[in-house]
């Protein structure tokens, strides 16, 4: 819930503006309308100040997820998303720690295991990558990305037959893979990879 926290900003404002508009329409006395307008000005000023004070947290994805996690440290999605930001920046070890934290909090998301496996794969830590890809599949047997990851892992180990098996399994689960990927799988299956 916290990862999509626009509701922290937008949903409450709807009720405030509806209330103020209703009051403005109900009040017939000019003095009360002026008081209401002053009150509305103060409220708008307060929300504007609060909005500008939060802007630095929206500067980039990493600062946003750190902001969320400072308020909701048990957000599995928050840790997973922060890890993806760190991974994109090339901070593999920090990303791994965030993925492990997410898994420790709640081991129910195949995506988190898959992301961790990809991080290990990039570091050529094949044994850990395979373990995490298999954990992702155990959580969701239809999670085709984990099969693609296993195929890539097996291919990097020179185990073409195993790679083809996992690539074919991914294609069986999700036949809408990009045509280049399908062509690659077919060429690899026929042993005609150039």
């Amino acid at each position: 819930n916290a990862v999509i926290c626009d509701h922290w900003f937008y949903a409450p404002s709807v009720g405030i503006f509806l209330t103020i508009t209703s009051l403005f329409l109900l009040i017939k006395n000019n003095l009360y309308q002026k008081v209401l307008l002053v009150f509305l000005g103060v409220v708008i000023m307060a929300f504007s100040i609060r909005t500008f004070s939060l802007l630095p947290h929206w500067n980039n994805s990493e600062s946003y997820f750190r902001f969320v996690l400072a308020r909701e440290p048990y957000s599995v999605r928050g840790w997973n998303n922060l890890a993806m930001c760190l991974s994109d920046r090339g901070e593999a070890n920090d990303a791994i720690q965030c993925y492990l934290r997410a898994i420790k909090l709640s081991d129910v998301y195949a995506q988190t295991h898959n992301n961790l496996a990809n991080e290990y794969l990039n570091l050529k830590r094949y044994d850990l990558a395979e373990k995490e890809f298999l954990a992702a599949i155990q959580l969701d047997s239809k999670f085709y990305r984990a099969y693609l990851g296993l195929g890539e892992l097996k291919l990097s180990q020179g185990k073409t037959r195993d790679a083809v098996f996992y690539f074919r399994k991914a294609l069986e689960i999700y036949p809408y893979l990009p045509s280049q990927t399908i062509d690659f799988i077919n060429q690899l299956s026929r042993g005609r990879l150039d």
Side-chain angles (χ1 to χ4, degrees):
N1 196 19
V3 177
I4 305 172
C5 49
D6 288 348
H7 67 277
W8 288 352
F9 306 108
Y10 302 125
S13 65
V14 173
I16 291 169
F17 288 115
L18 285 175
T19 302
I20 292 171
T21 304
S22 299
L23 287 174
F24 193 75
L25 293 173
L26 290 174
I27 296 175
K28 303 296 183 196
N29 186 321
N30 283 341
L31 177 63
Y32 290 134
Q33 284 182 346
K34 288 179 183 176
V35 169
L36 188 58
L37 284 175
V38 169
F39 173 73
L40 179 60
V42 169
V43 168
I44 289 173
M45 183 63 72
F47 281 128
S48 296
I49 292 169
R50 180 67 176 144
T51 299
F52 281 109
S53 72
L54 292 173
L55 285 178
H57 304 295
W58 290 81
N59 187 32
N60 59 53
S61 297
E62 181 183 348
S63 63
Y64 172 71
F65 289 114
R66 288 190 187 281
F67 173 75
V68 169
L69 289 169
R71 282 141 190 85
E72 296 199 26
Y74 301 106
S75 171
V76 175
R77 289 181 187 162
W79 285 108
N80 181 68
N81 291 341
L82 176 59
M84 288 191 301
C85 295
L86 295 170
S87 178
D88 288 344
R89 286 188 26 204
E91 297 179 25
N93 291 328
D94 291 338
I96 288 170
Q97 292 309 309
C98 289
Y99 287 130
L100 291 172
R101 177 102 183 249
I103 291 168
K104 184 178 178 184
L105 287 171
S106 180
D107 191 8
V108 295
Y109 296 109
Q111 183 69 46
T112 306
H113 283 282
N114 188 71
N115 292 346
L116 178 57
N118 282 319
E119 205 65 49
Y120 285 140
L121 184 60
N122 290 336
L123 295 173
K124 299 184 181 352
R125 296 172 70 183
Y126 299 129
D127 55 332
L128 294 173
E130 183 170 11
K131 177 183 165 229
E132 293 302 326
F133 282 130
L134 292 172
I137 292 168
Q138 187 173 3
L139 288 169
D140 181 358
S141 62
K142 299 294 183 188
F143 192 70
Y144 74 93
R145 286 184 170 97
Y147 290 103
L148 287 174
L150 278 168
E152 184 180 341
L153 182 145
K154 294 301 180 182
L155 194 58
S156 65
Q157 293 176 321
K159 299 177 181 177
T160 307
R161 186 173 301 203
D162 292 341
V164 168
F165 170 79
Y166 287 118
F167 286 142
R168 286 258 175 237
K169 184 69 176 170
L171 188 58
E172 176 186 314
I173 294 168
Y174 188 74
Y176 310 106
L177 292 171
S179 59
Q180 298 89 343
T181 305
I182 295 172
D183 290 344
F184 173 78
I185 293 169
N186 289 333
Q187 288 177 0
L188 190 63
S189 297
R190 292 189 294 266
R192 296 186 195 160
L193 199 59
D194 297 327

